[in-house]
Amino acid sequence: MMDRLRNDLTALMGIPGLSGHEDRVRRAIADMLTAEGVENHSDRMGNLIASFEGDPDSPSVMLFTHMDQLGFIVRKIEDDGLIRVERMGGVPERALASQAVTICVPGGEDVEGVLYNKSHHATQANEKYRVLKAPDVRIDTGHGSKAAVKAAGVCIGSPVVYRPNVVQLANNRVAGTSVDDRAGCAVLLEVARNLKSRDGGPTVHLVFSVQEEFNLRGAVVTAQTLKPDVAIQIDLMLATDTPEMTDRGEMVLGGGPGMSLYSFHGRGTLNGVIPHPSAVRLFEETAEAEQISLQRSAQVGVLTDLSYVQLVGEGAVSIDVGFPMRYSHSSLEVCDLSDLDGLARLLVAALARIGPDFDLTRDGEPG
Ligand SMILES: [Zn+2]
């Protein structure tokens, strides 16, 4: 399974898919599902759905992960051909100087560029530690004039992403563009392969969602249609095992999959998730039975689509589970394939344990 995860993740990280422009990623995943004999369809927003009908007396499950990634949108093309952009999603401006980017040209040839960085030899002392805001950054594509840039197919509104890049590190670790959340997509593909040939179990809807990085707009639409009893989101868990992160928690890269006991954004949306105790219990018991080490996360500053999905209909029994990841939203994020492997096995086993007696209430809680 590890080789398959590595191949799927590498392939998916090579495909640009800015929020609202996920079409290439969706087509690739749809093709992979179809090749496995798994039926799938997409909705108006672009979410991709593969449903596995199961026991009608058991709660239905929506297991979802996002296909999109953050980046930029072209705002203006200067007369000299340099391109100005707006941020799309939580782009860390500290990590931008002299990065390579890809400007997507639908139906045409993508345009490569580099993010402007003032020549070091001309940098004054007071500029040395200054970070430019994204709207002040310029992209150099080499074209040299506005007319040439436009002739190459770039226009206002064109999507821009970090240039797709994958670096295979030691110990099954992988650095790549948008590990968040193509790693989740690779894990969901593994789950799909398993569900295809399972014996019994609940109805499961696998959803590859859009526009998560654009303030969580995609998955909630699909949830309104599916009205799941149980909602499980797959996304990164902040690894806290690098020197600047140790105070924040105990999430170790390579230490196994994780579940979130608390997430709160704390700015902007003021949204977050406190998981349902039945869902927490499900993953704790599954991990113990399968002898998979399960890590725990409680973080302010993070949030996922689940913030909105949990509120659909009568409310869904909700939980975030995921894989530890380092350097979130930088052009190279790092995950460990053994965590993805553990996560896929955990999900498959947990889904199989959801039967007619799965408690959707909180009546049995000690409080
Ligand atoms: Zn994500």
Side-chain angles (χ1 to χ4, degrees):
M1 176 151 82
M2 214 94 122
D3 283 343
R4 215 161 43 202
L5 279 166
R6 185 191 296 276
N7 292 341
D8 287 349
L9 175 59
T10 302
L12 291 172
M13 290 197 297
I15 307 169
L18 187 70
S19 289
H21 303 268
E22 302 87 351
D23 309 271
R24 295 180 198 179
V25 183
R26 183 178 58 254
R27 271 195 294 275
I29 294 175
D31 287 350
M32 290 157 102
L33 288 170
T34 303
E36 298 280 352
V38 174
E39 275 183 46
N40 56 86
H41 70 280
S42 55
D43 63 16
R44 289 179 189 167
M45 287 286 284
N47 299 296
L48 182 69
I49 302 130
S51 293
F52 300 81
E53 292 303 324
D55 175 11
D57 295 328
S58 296
S60 65
V61 184
M62 174 170 152
L63 176 60
F64 59 108
T65 194
H66 67 93
M67 296 185 284
D68 61 309
Q69 71 196 91
L70 47 84
F72 312 89
I73 296 279
V74 172
R75 159 180 117 236
K76 180 181 191 336
I77 305 164
E78 308 271 16
D79 290 339
D80 57 7
L82 296 177
I83 296 167
R84 310 289 293 275
V85 292
E86 291 290 355
R87 279 165 97 220
M88 209 312 306
V91 174
E93 278 146 321
R94 274 185 321 117
L96 293 187
S98 68
Q99 291 287 346
V101 291
T102 298
I103 307 172
C104 296
V105 180
E109 203 159 311
D110 288 346
V111 172
E112 305 296 344
V114 292
L115 290 168
Y116 160 108
N117 193 26
K118 187 172 179 181
S119 290
H120 183 70
H121 297 83
T123 301
Q124 305 297 313
N126 64 351
E127 296 174 310
K128 219 172 150 187
Y129 301 104
R130 217 177 79 209
V131 173
L132 285 187
K133 293 196 173 112
D136 297 330
V137 166
R138 290 167 169 80
I139 298 173
D140 187 349
T141 61
H143 285 94
S145 75
K146 181 174 189 164
V149 170
K150 290 178 80 169
V154 178
C155 55
I156 290 172
S158 288
V160 184
V161 293
Y162 295 130
R163 185 169 195 238
N165 191 3
V166 183
V167 183
Q168 309 288 345
L169 304 178
N171 296 323
N172 282 323
R173 293 179 175 187
V174 179
T177 316
S178 59
V179 168
D180 169 16
D181 196 13
R182 303 298 158 72
C185 295
V187 168
L188 231 59
L189 283 167
E190 270 310 316
V191 175
R193 288 183 184 108
N194 180 279
L195 290 178
K196 186 184 61 173
S197 52
R198 71 174 174 170
D199 238 359
T203 292
V204 179
H205 306 284
L206 300 186
V207 177
F208 300 85
S209 71
V210 295
Q211 300 197 28
E212 196 267 356
E213 303 289 2
F214 185 44
N215 206 8
L216 318 173
R217 290 176 213 273
V220 66
V221 172
T222 308
Q224 282 164 2
T225 310
L226 298 175
K227 297 190 179 63
D229 298 306
V230 179
I232 304 167
Q233 166 125 34
I234 310 305
D235 210 333
L236 69 100
M237 300 268 141
L238 279 189
T240 59
D241 59 343
T242 47
E244 77 291 355
M245 295 287 283
T246 48
D247 278 357
R248 291 195 61 132
E250 302 176 10
M251 181 70 59
V252 177
L253 194 68
M259 66 175 169
S260 170
L261 284 305
Y262 176 67
S263 68
F264 178 61
H265 197 217
R267 52 186 193 265
T269 68
L270 297 183
N271 226 323
V273 174
I274 298 167
H276 193 284
S278 291
V280 173
R281 210 157 40 234
L282 170 70
F283 282 99
E284 280 175 337
E285 289 172 3
T286 306
E288 200 185 333
E290 301 295 318
Q291 297 188 317
I292 297 168
S293 103
L294 177 63
Q295 305 192 77
R296 296 167 77 92
S297 166
Q299 292 287 344
V300 169
V302 297
L303 85 171
T304 65
D305 276 322
L306 191 62
S307 293
Y308 293 101
V309 169
Q310 66 181 340
L311 306 176
V312 167
E314 296 171 58
V317 166
S318 295
I319 190 165
D320 282 290
V321 292
F323 52 90
M325 192 188 81
R326 290 180 178 176
Y327 324 129
S328 64
H329 289 190
S330 300
S331 67
L332 289 173
E333 301 168 323
V334 172
C335 70
D336 189 314
L337 292 171
S338 70
D339 294 329
L340 305 187
D341 176 82
L343 177 57
R345 287 187 289 117
L346 179 72
L347 290 168
V348 165
L351 290 172
R353 294 169 81 100
I354 298 177
D357 56 348
F358 185 85
D359 193 0
L360 297 170
T361 75
R362 302 178 66 114
D363 295 346
E365 294 312 312

